[in-house]
Amino acid sequence: MTDNPFSLEGRVAVVTGANTGLGQGIAVALAKAGADVAAVGRSPAEETGRQVEAAGRRFTFVEADLSSIEPVERVVRTTVERLGGLDILVNNAGIIRRADAIDFTEADWDAVMDTNLKTAFFLSQAAAREMLKAGGGKIVNIVSMLSFQGGIRVPSYTASKSGLAGLTKLLANEWAAKGINVNAIAPGYFETNNTEALRADEGRSREILGRIPAGRWGRPEDLGGAAVFLASRAADYMHGAVVPVDGGWLAR
Ligand code: NAP
């Protein structure tokens, strides 16, 4: 084992939704820090695989539609079979539906809550059962500024991300003494598919940018450092933290 407390050498990481956006940035950062990566999702993750392998690490794609909890046991089992263990889980896959609260539909409520919150919980449970056998592990949940703030026109998204931040703390309370660290990263406003509609709206885009002290939207690689840290031995005494990586948004 290396002396570097940030090294992920010899670790196996599962990253959901790693074919694009923040999940891809996180998967590549974990690989550069030494982890082998299982990308889990419904769309192939070839580009992520190329970048993980270019970093000298093993890569596997586990196809799974995370809109229900049906695949969670298989995701864990397949990862362990192919990569020999499961040390790190990043619950990144997520969706957003935008409509005025007055018109919001049950379908848009359920879809977002199921993917962003229910699956994240049951995948964490399945992964934790595996991690406990190995003496511990790291779980990193990707939450949002809307874990702290209300937002507008995204009721199920705000509920899901506030719920996931709460769940991060609950799981930390239950599993900290068992060697599993559960923490969350709250990204600010990043240039990904998730924010395409916001960035396309000139007025909203200008308003948002005007409030970011860093003066720019985040890029997927901006999350890498926090993800590597929370997945590493350096964060062994961190439990239940929700770490903003937001260009200063919450400081305003
Ligand atoms: P994105 O580009 O839309 O990526 C979302 C990822 O989740 C994609 O890989 C997507 O797969 C996957 N996913 C969605 N539904 C899925 C399902 N049913 N089964 C499997 N995979 C599914 O957006 P992103 O910005 O990178 O989002 C990543 C996470 O960060 C999300 O949880 C989001 O809420 C959160 N976040 C983003 C921002 C931001 O500013 N961008 C800010 C705060 C939090 P497909 O490509 O197949 O759809």
Side-chain angles (χ1 to χ4, degrees), residues 102-204:
I102 204 77
D103 298 322
F104 210 75
T105 64
E106 185 179 4
D108 282 345
W109 179 269
D110 287 345
V112 172
M113 293 297 275
D114 284 352
T115 301
N116 295 12
L117 186 56
K118 186 173 177 183
T119 297
F121 172 72
F122 283 99
L123 185 55
S124 299
Q125 181 190 65
R129 288 176 177 155
E130 190 60 38
M131 288 172 180
L132 289 175
K133 291 187 213 160
K138 309 278 179 189
I139 297 177
V140 181
N141 293 322
I142 304 305
V143 297
S144 167
M145 292 296 97
L146 303 190
S147 303
F148 303 102
Q149 302 175 306
I152 187 162
R153 305 190 70 247
V154 288
S156 55
Y157 187 79
T158 300
S160 71
K161 294 298 186 178
S162 297
L164 192 54
L167 199 54
T168 299
K169 296 171 199 171
L170 174 134
L171 295 177
N173 290 339
E174 290 203 24
W175 296 343
K178 299 180 191 296
I180 300 177
N181 299 76
V182 188
N183 292 289
I185 297 173
Y189 287 83
F190 278 67
E191 288 169 0
T192 68
N193 301 335
N194 174 288
T195 54
E196 209 171 335
L198 277 185
R199 284 177 290 118
D201 177 337
E202 238 177 75
R204 283 289 283 135

